[in-house]
Amino acid sequence: MTEKRILAFDFGASSGRAIIGSFDGKKITLQEIHRFSNDPVSVGGTVYWDVLRLFYEIKQGITKAALAGGFDSIGIDTWGVDFGLIDAEDKLMENPIHYRDKRTAGMVDEAFKTVPKDKLYATTGTQFMELNTLYQLISLKKNRPWMLDRADKILFMPDLFAYMLTGKKCAEYSIASTSQMLDITSGDWSDELLEAFEIPKRLLPDIVPSGTVLGMLSDDICEECGTKSVPVISVCGHDTQSAITAVPCESGDFAFISSGTWSLFGTELDAPIVNEKSLDINITNEGGYGKAVGFLKNIIGLWLIQESRRQWRREGEEYSYADLEKAALASEPFKCFIDPDAPEFVPHGNIPERVREFCKKTGQYVPQTVGEVMRCIYESLAMKYKLTFAKLSECTEKKYPVIHVIGGGTKDTLLCQMTSSACNVRVAAGPVEATVMGNIAVQLLADGCIDSISEARKIVSDSSELKIYEPQDPDKWENAYSDFLKIAL
């Protein structure tokens, strides 16, 4: 076959990349052509995404891709839940607001006054998190109702960027499923919930399946960036679902951790699991490629390490990630734990001090040094994975002999090893670029170059190098687990 060149844009919470994937019929080879920071901006007490700057970076990526030999299609994936408001004149009304903004504080309890918790979960199968789109809209309706009155459409972040490239509006299935407004059974917007919360359905665009060819790159973008017009494909717009598409497991059940700023721990199912048990552990059912269900739990992940490093930098201390890993290894194990998902660890700020405060209020040893704080964070993440792994198996009534760790967190060898030891199973780490690989694979599926998701996963596996970790001292981890359970929320 003629080599296909696929342009994938992958946006994380702190950076973005434009990567060309070259497919020769057997393997995908990646070439990063543009990388840029994604810096939230705080103005007047509100935290925004700098969306126009990000769109400028998309155009820079397109220009560089054209100069590098061209490309055959474009796909974009981003984080979930956030959105832009488009008015009746097709203009963006304001910069999208960041999911870490404080506007959603208390909105989950506010929602339960209208729709009971069990009813809301039974409809959506979505994990309760204050950052979910539903709670952002409840806040907007309560405090700035005129914004929704004037808006014509809500576009989630990958759909917003695709709209800027094509002029076409849609809601791709996987990103729509992060909103907590999707009926997980029907796969469409829940009329019942929208009516209950008085959210006009006219605001929500039509949902399209993952892998839909949305439209062609507009003439003005082509002229500005010096490229031919190519299809823009609605890949799995939620980066988690793009990553799941690239799990290098060709058959059978698998467990995965999509490891990055957030850790998404779960498995893939043919149908959602929505019952008292899944509600009790607050696990989500997300839509994926081919209407598969990503049954997973959001856990605060490398954010704790990233933000700690930023805090020490603010204090004038510069540490590399390798430095922090070495400091953790040099510290005594199992002295104290935090629950990574405690609400105080979500906002930007002084994470090391919050770690100390958490340990103090829970009657534990209070870590003093950089190494002790890092050891506490690393071991607490691994223990949280162990707890989630047990609950996942309980819900699905399945055993998983291997955990696939995918994404940027595969480069954190200490966390991968601790995950294997804590969970007492083999960890297969890779690919690092799982999200990009999934983005590219769905574009190839849409183009007909790949016939099935299983074939896509084999190609990803053949194109990647995996690192295997085996459990070390699992008995010591098991003995310390009871101490972690005492402080787990």
Side-chain angles (χ1 to χ4, degrees), residues 97 111 116 126 130 160 164 186-187 203 231 241 266 316 324 357 388-389 405 472 480:
I97 296 178
T126 302
E130 279 193 337
L160 177 61
M164 291 175 171
S186 71
L203 293 173
Q241 294 303 320
L324 295 177
E357 291 171 357
T388 305
F389 190 41
V405 177
Q472 296 178 0

Side-chain angles (χ1 to χ4, degrees), residues 89-100:
E89 296 181 350
D90 292 334
K91 304 297 183 184
L92 182 65
M93 294 174 63
E94 67 175 358
N95 273 2
I97 296 178
H98 196 292
Y99 61 78
R100 292 192 193 273

Side-chain angles (χ1 to χ4, degrees), residues 246-249 254-259 400-407 409-411 416-417 419-420 425-432 434 461 464-471:
V247 173
C249 182
F254 60 85
F256 67 86
I257 302 174
S258 181
S259 180
Y400 304 96
V402 179
I403 297 173
H404 290 271
V405 177
I406 54 178
T410 60
K411 293 183 285 188
C416 288
Q417 181 58 64
T419 300
S420 176
V425 295
R426 175 178 293 177
V427 162
V432 174
S461 180
S464 308
E465 291 186 10
L466 305 185
K467 185 171 182 179
I468 304 300
Y469 298 84
E470 300 289 354

